[in-house]
Amino acid sequence: AQRVTQPEKLLSVFKGAPVELKCNYSYSGSPELFWYVQYSRQRLQLLLRHISRESIKGFTADLNKGETSFHLKKPFAQEEDSAMYYCALGRGGGNKLTFGTGTQLKVEL
Amino acid sequence: NAGVTQTPKFQVLKTGQSMTLQCAQDMNHEYMSWYRQDPGMGLRLIHYSVGAGITDQGEVPNGYNVSRSTTEDFPLRLLSAAPSQTSVYFCASSIGTAYGYTFGSGTRLTVV
């Protein structure tokens, strides 16, 4: 069965500190992985997709097939990064997304 | 370009009532999905569609119906509302598998 695990419900860091939001997945096929972000009272927004290997708002994520992980990283946290972050696994050609339970990132001054 | 539009934003239903949550997109996306978001459970797929006239079930389809008569619209029908259906519902659309989904602003539904 497909599964996405985000082990931390809440991650609290100080401004300027490095951030790593963990995501592990289980899937027998070739995964398509995404990070979505939801700022307070706003809709979910696509942050990153593994296929593009890009950096958005200073965030990066690398797919590690050996460890079945897709951790989200940022070297220096900013106050505006405070939000809920969801890791998602696309299957069935990406039509169906399986989401993790989310990690609330709180950046403290 | 409005993106994905959901109506209503808020709704309170009594147990047993039926209603339709509306979703429309103006990006000519083939793929559309409905999710529900519950605390501590992330988002769970209810139904999805890969094009007009084609729909299929997701993880939690019971109690919900969908149809896709046009590319633009993908309404979600609650047949007989139950308190367990109290949730935030998100509609999403995508141009293709690897591009990710664009989400609507959500409908907060309370069933009493």
Side-chain angles (χ1 to χ4, degrees), chain B:
Chain B
N1 190 340
V4 179
T5 302
Q6 289 185 239
T7 56
K9 292 191 184 304
F10 301 94
Q11 183 71 49
V12 179
L13 287 179
K14 293 183 178 179
T15 298
Q17 286 185 316
S18 62
M19 79 160 294
T20 299
L21 306 185
Q22 301 292 344
C23 176
Q25 53 92 8
D26 61 357
M27 298 172 284
N28 202 32
H29 287 174
E30 290 295 324
Y31 304 103
M32 296 187 75
S33 299
W34 275 102
Y35 292 86
R36 58 177 291 173
Q37 183 183 39
D38 300 293
M41 303 188 74
L43 284 84
R44 292 179 293 168
L45 181 64
I46 305 172
H47 285 286
Y48 67 98
S49 170
V50 299
I54 306 170
T55 64
D56 205 347
Q57 296 180 350
E59 303 169 55
V60 289
N62 292 341
Y64 307 95
N65 272 355
V66 291
S67 59
R68 185 94 181 270
S69 56
T70 66
T71 299
E72 294 77 19
D73 300 299
F74 191 42
L76 178 71
R77 296 183 187 84
L78 279 70
L79 308 174
S80 177
S84 61
Q85 293 179 305
T86 293
S87 186
V88 181
Y89 291 85
F90 287 100
C91 179
S93 72
S94 176
I95 192 172
T97 61
Y99 293 89
Y101 273 82
T102 299
F103 281 79
S105 57
T107 295
R108 187 173 294 274
L109 175 69
T110 302
V111 183
V112 298

Side-chain angles (χ1 to χ4, degrees), chain A residues 9 32 34 36 38 42-46 49 51 84 86 91-102, chain B residues 2 4 31 33 35 37 40-43 45 48 50 57 59 90 96-105:
Chain A
K9 286 187 177 180
E32 292 178 340
F34 306 87
Y36 285 84
Q38 187 177 30
Q42 295 187 25
R43 67 186 71 192
L44 274 82
Q45 304 172 31
L46 177 65
R49 46 197 177 106
I51 195 170
M84 179 70 84
Y86 291 98
R91 64 195 194 284
N95 300 326
K96 295 172 281 188
L97 289 179
T98 297
F99 282 84
T101 52
Chain B
V4 179
Y31 304 103
S33 299
Y35 292 86
Q37 183 183 39
M41 303 188 74
L43 284 84
L45 181 64
Y48 67 98
V50 299
Q57 296 180 350
E59 303 169 55
F90 287 100
T97 61
Y99 293 89
Y101 273 82
T102 299
F103 281 79
S105 57

Side-chain angles (χ1 to χ4, degrees), chain A residues 8-97:
Chain A
E8 302 138 330
K9 286 187 177 180
L10 173 65
L11 181 64
S12 186
V13 302
F14 286 106
K15 179 181 176 180
V19 174
E20 183 178 48
L21 300 171
K22 291 184 168 54
C23 172
N24 288 90
Y25 66 92
S26 62
Y27 182 53
S28 57
S30 183
E32 292 178 340
L33 286 151
F34 306 87
W35 275 100
Y36 285 84
V37 60
Q38 187 177 30
Y39 300 102
S40 180
R41 299 190 187 89
Q42 295 187 25
R43 67 186 71 192
L44 274 82
Q45 304 172 31
L46 177 65
L47 181 62
L48 284 177
R49 46 197 177 106
H50 90 270
I51 195 170
S52 61
R53 302 181 65 83
E54 57 200 342
S55 174
I56 303 292
K57 300 183 179 181
F59 285 98
T60 59
D62 291 318
L63 175 61
N64 186 324
K65 290 188 177 181
E67 296 183 356
T68 59
S69 68
F70 189 56
H71 303 327
L72 184 67
K73 299 177 183 179
K74 185 171 183 177
F76 308 103
Q78 302 298 315
E79 191 179 359
E80 56 266 28
D81 296 331
S82 294
M84 179 70 84
Y85 291 81
Y86 291 98
C87 183
L89 167 68
R91 64 195 194 284
N95 300 326
K96 295 172 281 188
L97 289 179

